[in-house]
Amino acid sequence: RWTRRGTSTTPPEYRTQCGCLSQVDEEGHEGWARSVRSLEFGAILRNELLFALRALKPGGHLYFAYQLGIYSMLFRLLLALRPAFGRVRVTPTFAAHRTPLYVFLGEYSGAESPAAVAALTFLEALPTAGAGAYVAWHLSAWDGAARALHAELSPDLHAVWRTQEGYLREQRLTAERQFGADGAARKGGGKGGRPPGTRAGL
């Protein structure tokens, strides 16, 4: 096990692309650090959304970067926000090697509308610490509303995943080509050829 309470001592080799951990904590609970980090991100995002929903004019548009690869949290938030907007889209970011995506919400119904009031009430009530906080931030039931939202976002989500998959595939192929080139250079040097990086006559 690798952990230390109350301090940030995460070595680089334990970090994933989304900045989370997959180690176990002192009690052996896998994902302990992941849940802490996701709640920290959630608290920041919640405050930003609360400000935006109160400041945005009716008919306005909102977008934000969702920086985690945790889709149960994303869907939990969007299920609360979606009724207050006329449309929603998600797109890849400019950093294909990362997990974030952009969320665009358009045609706001206004802060005084029942849907916006419900969204604000939901966000204000979300806990950021204590027992049950992690569960409160995540989708726990695949009901009709969740299926409808997934059907609406499915083309966009697949576009995001294809973009990330394309980058990862090219990264893998580049690494394999470099590995093959390095192996050929080592093999040539071991059979009487010149070692890599040397020139004839030296």
Side-chain angles (χ1 to χ4, degrees), residues 102-115:
Y102 290 134
V103 178
F104 293 86
L105 294 154
E107 303 168 8
Y108 185 43
S109 59
E112 303 300 322
S113 68

Side-chain angles (χ1 to χ4, degrees), residues 1-5 7 9-11 13-16 20-37:
R1 295 188 180 93
W2 187 95
T3 187
R4 184 182 298 177
R5 289 186 181 277
T7 57
T9 54
T10 308
E13 61 268 27
Y14 285 94
R15 298 185 185 274
T16 67
C20 298
L21 293 174
S22 60
Q23 289 293 296
V24 294
D25 68 0
E26 291 172 350
E27 285 75 35
H29 297 173
E30 189 172 357
W32 172 80
R34 182 188 299 270
S35 66
V36 171
R37 292 180 68 85

